[in-house]
Amino acid sequence: KRFLLIFMLLLLLSGMMFHTGCKKSNIDDPPDMSIIGVKWVLESIQYSNQNIIPIERMFYVLFNEDLTFRMQVDCNTCTGTYVLGANHSISFSWQMTCTDAFCGDDSKDNEFHAALETVSKYDVDGDRLRLYFNNEQSQLNFIAESSNL
């Protein structure tokens, strides 16, 4: 009887430890909702080779609660949808709609659009947002601005 009681107790304890261990290893970080409702103004595009392109024109993104976004991309505007996932993953819809005005030879709109196509992860640090692209080797650097939009 004593052996059976000890055996059952050990089985119960080992099951609880296994269950707790499995649960911890399978939990993903939930999406960080702090990016929503903030006007994020692009400051620079930083490539993996450390080449940093400062942005001197108006580029911003505003993420809405309904998983839509609005962007100003130099002289054009874009709208579409996005998905936030676990572990700070993010993706933009392929059905992004943008105006198509020519913004000038020195505009960085093509670089910005190319980066957005491969954005896969984001990180928020206070009033800073980084969108990682190019297999997380490069980043778009944003700063928060109060949104009155």
Side-chain angles (χ1 to χ4, degrees), residues 21-141:
C22 286
K23 188 174 181 182
K24 285 183 181 177
S25 65
N26 289 330
I27 292 179
D28 291 324
D29 290 336
D32 182 349
M33 306 306 274
S34 65
I35 70 169
I36 296 173
V38 177
K39 183 177 177 181
W40 296 101
V41 179
L42 184 65
E43 289 188 311
S44 65
I45 302 172
Q46 183 174 349
Y47 292 97
S48 58
N49 63 4
Q50 300 303 317
N51 183 23
I52 299 174
I53 299 174
I55 303 299
E56 297 174 3
R57 295 190 180 187
M58 181 52 89
F59 288 74
Y60 73 79
V61 61
L62 177 65
F63 297 98
N64 299 310
E65 284 185 48
D66 64 356
L67 300 180
T68 62
F69 66 83
R70 190 169 110 196
M71 291 183 186
Q72 180 72 38
V73 183
D74 203 346
C75 67
N76 290 294
T77 57
C78 301
T79 58
T81 60
Y82 68 97
V83 175
L84 292 180
N87 299 319
H88 295 250
S89 68
I90 187 170
S91 60
F92 293 91
S93 65
W94 290 106
Q95 296 88 12
M96 186 184 318
T97 304
C98 299
T99 58
D100 196 22
F102 177 67
C103 300
D105 290 329
D106 60 340
S107 177
K108 304 300 181 216
D109 57 342
N110 289 330
E111 288 92 337
F112 184 74
H113 282 294
L116 283 181
E117 289 179 12
T118 63
V119 165
S120 59
K121 185 177 175 184
Y122 68 99
D123 183 42
V124 178
D125 184 13
D127 64 350
R128 303 281 176 176
L129 168 68
R130 286 179 297 281
L131 296 179
Y132 296 94
F133 66 100
N134 189 24
N135 293 318
E136 298 178 20
Q137 299 298 310
S138 302
Q139 62 193 42
L140 298 167
N141 298 306

